[in-house]
Every structure is written in C-alpha cells, then in structure tokens.
Amino acid sequence: MKNKSWLFRVGIVVMAAVLVEIISIIQYERVQKIMRQEMNDRSQIILTALADDIVHNLEITETTMNENVLELRRSLAHPDSVYSAIKHVIDDNPHVIGGCMAFVPGYYPSKGRLYEPYVSKENGGFVMRQLAENGHDYTQNETFRRAATVKAPVWSDPYVFGPDSLKFATYSYPLMDRKGRLAAVCGLDLDLSWLGDTLNARHHYPSSFRLLLTQSGKLVAGPSSKRISPEVVHTVMEILSGKVPASAHPEYALMKGAMDRAPYWQVVQVHRTDEVFERMHRMRRQQMLFILLALAILAFMINRYAHNDKKLREASQEQARLGGELAVASRIQHEMLPKTFPPFVYGSLEPAREVGGDIFDFFNRDGKLFFCIGDVSGKGVPSAILMSVVHSIFRMTAGNENSPSRILHVMNQELCRSNDSNMFITFFVGCLDLYSGELIFSNAGHDKPFVMCGTVTQLDTKANLPLGVFPDTNFIEQNCTLAPGTTLVLYTDGLTEAKNIERRQFGLAGVQQLLEENMTSGVVTPVDLVSSMSEAAHSFAGSAPQSDDLTMLVIRYAPENLVRESITLENDIADISKLSAFVKGFCGSIPIERSAAANIRLALEEAVVNVMKYAFQDGDKGTVTVLADSNRQELRFTVIDCGIPFNPTSVMEVDTTLDVESRPIGGLGIHLVRRLTDSLHYQRMAGRNILTMTKKI
Amino acid sequence: MITKVEEQDGRFAVTLEGEMDTAAAVEAESILKPLYNSDGKDVVIECKNLEYIASSGLRILLGILKGAKAAGSSVVLRNVNDDIKNVFKLTGFIDIFKFE
C-alpha cells in the first residue's frame, strides 16, 4: 500500500514533467520558427537594400558612360584626344577609378595592331597608359569579346587588378564609328573595394557576415579576414556551391538576395545559428530551471498532501471510532437510567453532548420511594464516567440503607477515596413514604427542589457540601410530611442556567413562574410537567446550543385509597391472637381473598413471634407495634419494636429438602415470612428494630 | 382450637380443629407431647377442620414424625385443606409427611 502510493506520487510528478517538457518543446520549436522567419525577413530587407545600393552604383556608372558616349565617339577621329575624353569621363564619377578604350585591332594603323589607352586615378591625379604596350592582349578578354560580339554594354565580373589589389568591375560599352562599325570597346572601371566594408558594415550578431557573389557564384566581396576567418568563408562558399550539403553545417544559416538586373550578382547573408538563438537558448535554460523548481514544489506539495491526507484519514477514522464509542457510551448511560415510570414519577435527562454528567434515579422499596438527582462537575466523557460510578454507588448504598444522610455519607466516603481528579458531585437524596407522605431528605449542595402544593415554593434544604469534597462532611438529614397532591420538582442547573443567544439565563424565577402557570392551568402530572419544562428551556435557549445537561425528576404524592391501621402488642405469645384478629380485620377491610389473607396472617404472625422470641431477653417487657398500610395494590406491614438489635433477615435459610431426621426444629418461621412476602427489609433506627414487609395484591 | 388424642386399634388417632397459631400451639403441644414417643404405634392426624397452622404447629408435627420414624411407625395426615398443604409445600414438609 505504501509502495503503491509512493509510485503514484512519483508517476504524477513524472507525468507533469513530461507534459511541461512537451509543451516547452513545442513552444521552443514555434518560437524558433518565428525567429528564423523574422531573421529571414530582416535579412531579406537588408540584402535587397544592399543589392539596390550596388545596382545604384552600377547605374551611375552606366549613366556616366551614356552621357559621354558622344564625346567619346567624337574623339575617335583624333586618336590622341582619346585620353582626354576618357579622363573627362572618369572625372565625372568618383566611383569610377579608371577608364580605357580598347580599339578593335588595327583601328588606327598608326598605333599598331592593338591600342588600349587607359586613364586611372592615382594619388589625386590622373595617370595615362597605353596598356597594349605592356603586351596586354585585350582581345582575349572575356568582357571585350562579349561586348564586341553582342554590340551591347556588359558588366565584367569583378576582378582584382594592379599593385594595390584593387577590386573592380568593368562596364564595357561597344563604341561605333560614324559608319556603324565597331570601333572600340570603352571600359569604365568601377571601384568595388567599398563593397566588402559596406556589406559587412553592421551586423546583428558578431559572427554574421555577408558575401557578394557573381551570377556564377564567384566570390566578389566578403568580410575582412580579421573579423571572419577565411576558413569560415571557404566553408560557406562550399555550401553555396553545393560541394557540401547545408545539413552538414547546421551552425550556418544562409540567405540570398539577388539583383533584379544584370549582372545578377548575389548578396549572401550568413548567420551563425547558435548566435541567433543564443538568447532563446538562454531563455530555455532559464525556463527549464523554473520548470524544475516548479516540479520540485509540485513533488513536495504532493508529498505533503499525501501525508496530510493520510493523517486526515487517520484522524477521521479515529473520530468515527470515538463517535461510535461515544454513541455506545451514550446508549449504556441511557440504559442505566430508569426507563419505566409509575404514574407518579417521571424523569428525563438530555445531555448537552453525547454523554452527560447528570444523573437521576428512583426505586420503590417497602412502599418508600428512594430518589436522587445529581450533577457531576463538568460535562462530557470525564463527568459521564464519574456519573456512572456515582450511579452504581447510589444503587448499592440505597439498596440497604433507609436514611438519605447515611446514603450520602457512604457515597461521599467512597467518592473521596478515589477522587484524585478533584471532581465533585452535587447530589440530592430523598425517601418518600408513599403511604404516609413522610419525606426524608439530605442535600449535598444540589439545587433546592420546588414544591408545588397550592403555591410553588422551594424546599427548604440545608446545603451541605457536595460529594467528593471532604471525606468527613456531615450530611444533615431533614424531614417533612407532604400533603396529598403535593408535587416535588427536582432539576439540575441545566434548567435554571439554560442560556439564550444573549447569554441570559432561564433562571430560578423563570422556572418558578413556569411551574405556577402549569399549576394554574392544572398541569400536574409528572410527565406533563417534565415535557413542559423541557419545552420551555429549549424555546428559551432558541438557537443557542444547549449549554449543560438538562435533567428533571418530578414526583407527585397523590395517594388514593390509602388504608392504614396499627396495633401494639405486649411481647407475649398470648397476644398473638390479637394480631390474628387485627390482620383478619385489616384484610377484610381491603378486602383480600381468603387464602391470600391466610398467607399474610401467617407471615405476619411468624415475623412478630420471631421478634417476641429473640428481640427481648427473658422476662423483659416490651411492645411490638405493627403498622399495616395498603393502597389497594400493595400491602405493607411494618413491625417496630424497642428490643435489642435483632435482624431476622440475617438468619440462615433452612434447607427444605432435608429428610426427617436431619430437619432442624427451628428456622421455619423466618423462612415462611420470606416465602410469603414480596419484600422483607430490616432496619435499626433510633433504638428500634424496624422490619418491613410488602405483599402485592 | 381443639386438640384431641385417642388410642384406637393400636394406633393414635389425633384430631386437630380450628386455628393452630403460635399461642394455640403452646397448648396443643402439652397435649401432643406424649406422641413424640409413640412406642412404635402409627399416628393418624385428622385435619379436616384444621383451618390454620403456624410454624410452631409444624414443629410439633415434625416432633411426632421424628419419634415415629425412630420407632419404625408411620404418621399420616388426613384431609388437609389446600391452604395448609401450601404451608407444607413452602417448608418442604410435603415430602416427609404422608397424606390421605
């Protein structure tokens, strides 16, 4: 997997590199083409201009000739005037440095067979010579012959002549006499030495140069050997002549411009391609550098992205896992809360997050409703964990303990022992006797519950320290008796401190007003009150997020069909018959079916006999009081005596499977009590043994 | 309650009538105590009119049964009503007594 993603990343970078390189090459080729075209166009302009320049020079020379033809023709009559005529002509044109008349052989018999007067400009003056005297046979001259043959003016190819290696081209004009016969060929030598310099006067590139060639490809003029080595010129000439293919020398770019008239000389522009494209090459190198840099950045970014992506994926997986676990935790926490509610109790817990630090719980034992509400400091997972601990400690403690303050005490001891994180819990524990309305409660720093009974007031609880603060906290227990129809409203600060967007709190007054409105409009059932409060808190908060866990527990004390009777007996077995009569009478008033009543009578008799036998020392006088309560669904009997501490529930179970010989005589009574009742609890309180039995009807 | 003991045909015929609560059991025990040692004679206990029995009554019956067993004789309970039989069930006595 890792290897694969690495390959993938490298692949992306390589692909990007190839793509960029292809684009760059295409662009490079295109730019090169454009530049080459541009170079050609520019060179063509220059070459044309140069050709025009040369043509212009040639034309001037031709004009000079044409203007003087008559005079030259006139001079034919006097052979010796030819010199002055020639002199006159060449003096007219600064570029013409010499002129001659090459007479057809034997034209002047006096002058010999060949006669060629020649005038040249030398050192600011004119020098006259008869060239034939030096044995110059002009009749062999190509130009002479051509001019004589075609009887039309022709230009010679340029040539080098004289001691100064001057470069000339000669304009040869066939001169006719009066009879229309060819008399001589008049030649004007045009100085071409300027050409090489003019041709190569200015160049775009240091190695560029231009050449002037004849129509047949002979080199006429080129750059000075100081600037361009003769070998280079030689190589270019070989290319031009076709001896070497141009492809063998890609370093040279050649362009030709030809004259549009005779003598059709050619001007050749030579560039070195590396010079022309030097700037482009430099640009390309820079571009490559930029591309490499961009690719490196790309690779880095891909790597970073892949790395981040991996981390992000891991983080999101982790978050999903945590989310899943939180959902499970939330479900577990919810399942720990009471789910079924009798009509007189209702509670709800809405955590601000997935899990909360609030708790409520209740259970009915011996006709007494034990209930609690609490708030662990903080919220979220840490407080939820502690809340679970608090919940189980409460269940364990309250299962055997009747006194709320004792419950708080035991819970506090346990929570202080293992509270290194200094979290604390506000906790309220109450025990409501569903028959008598007696409420015993102890408050460990929790919000005071509301009491709805005609008016809405707060229960006057003494605020003890919360749980988990000091192990030696003394929790004060209080009690009061609720009138039938009283409703207790317990809540956590998630209700009173519900905040709206303006950060204002719902407040105690808000809750109190809400409860008063509910009471006025006759909303008294626990379930209705809870949903009304929850709705009010949410609509108050509006779009503001829930700031804290919202927990409510409402208990309504509304006993119906309560029957309560009591009897007090001496601790004398003989008084048992009074108990029998009492039980019969009580069961008859409910009424209870005969055989069920017999079972109840038996259980109660066995319990009372046990107390009479074991709670009193021999001869000690005392009383045993039996309280009988019923709400038409359940019977509850409370046996209270002031004897020595004696817990009948601690007596070992008898083994009812033993055979006759092994069966012990005793232990049957308490066994019967256990079997005939639904619950049996013993409590020692205020110097009295209190045994409570319940039996569902 | 009424407790009667008669010797007929070499066995003890006991009749229990009424409600045998703890107080009544004290009185009944004084009458039935001789049967704790029945000398090998069988015991038949007529419970037709017995309406109620507490654990102290059961203890007396167990005492009679233990004595009879030791001497090799039997104890039979007759006409026990359902409520009382239920008490025998709850205590496991239903398995050690004979019922007719």
Side-chain angles (χ1 to χ4, degrees), chain B:
Chain B
M1 76 165 284
I2 299 163
T3 311
K4 285 190 289 194
V5 183
E6 288 169 10
E7 228 183 308
Q8 298 175 342
D9 312 328
R11 60 183 186 179
F12 290 112
V14 179
T15 307
L16 300 177
E17 281 180 24
E19 299 183 345
M20 193 176 189
D21 63 15
T22 310
V26 176
E27 192 185 321
E29 191 174 17
S30 63
I31 299 165
L32 295 172
K33 220 165 193 168
L35 297 188
Y36 287 176
N37 189 351
S38 55
D39 287 337
K41 289 178 183 142
D42 291 344
V43 180
V44 179
I45 303 169
E46 177 57 55
C47 301
K48 192 175 154 194
N49 294 317
L50 184 66
E51 291 158 15
Y52 175 86
I53 189 165
S55 66
S56 46
L58 292 178
R59 264 198 302 276
I60 297 167
L61 297 180
L62 181 64
I64 296 169
L65 183 62
K66 280 192 171 188
K69 279 267 172 180
S73 58
S74 70
V75 177
V76 176
L77 299 174
R78 276 192 177 154
N79 304 315
V80 179
N81 75 26
D82 288 346
D83 286 348
I84 292 176
K85 217 167 214 173
N86 187 45
V87 178
F88 277 82
K89 269 186 202 153
L90 291 174
T91 51
F93 279 22
I94 195 109
D95 300 323
I96 53 179
F97 283 94
K98 276 188 199 156
F99 296 89
E100 283 184 358

Side-chain angles (χ1 to χ4, degrees), chain A residues 506-548:
Chain A
F506 194 35
L508 265 180
V511 177
Q512 177 150 5
Q513 191 187 342
L514 176 73
L515 293 175
E516 277 165 357
E517 283 165 12
N518 273 312
M519 199 170 62
T520 311
S521 54
V523 177
V524 285
T525 62
V527 63
D528 289 344
L529 280 173
V530 167
S531 68
S532 152
M533 285 190 290
S534 169
E535 230 167 73
H538 286 304
S539 74
F540 177 80
S543 58
Q546 190 182 337
S547 51
D548 202 354

Side-chain angles (χ1 to χ4, degrees), chain A residues 580-654:
Chain A
S580 299
F582 169 76
V583 173
K584 272 186 194 166
F586 181 72
C587 287
S589 73
I590 303 295
I592 291 169
E593 182 253 325
R594 196 190 54 79
S595 72
N599 286 340
I600 290 163
R601 175 190 167 189
L602 178 58
L604 203 53
E605 179 183 329
E606 298 294 348
V608 171
V609 166
N610 243 288
V611 167
M612 287 176 172
K613 275 187 186 164
Y614 302 110
F616 295 95
Q617 308 274 1
D618 280 342
D620 280 0
K621 286 280 177 197
T623 56
V624 180
T625 302
V626 176
L627 283 174
D629 290 301
S630 167
N631 58 5
R632 307 283 158 121
Q633 286 161 350
E634 189 185 55
L635 301 177
R636 183 179 68 174
F637 298 99
T638 314
V639 180
I640 306 162
D641 68 79
C642 49
I644 56 168
F646 166 66
N647 180 1
T649 63
S650 67
V651 174
M652 285 257 289
E653 277 278 342
V654 294

Side-chain angles (χ1 to χ4, degrees), chain A residues 27-33 35 276-285:
Chain A
Q27 211 164 26
Y28 177 77
E29 291 295 330
R30 187 180 293 170
V31 170
Q32 200 176 34
K33 204 169 148 194
M35 278 189 78
V276 174
F277 299 120
E278 160 65 17
R279 266 188 306 178
M280 214 177 107
H281 285 140
R282 214 163 48 215
M283 253 169 66
R284 181 158 155 73
R285 280 196 299 274

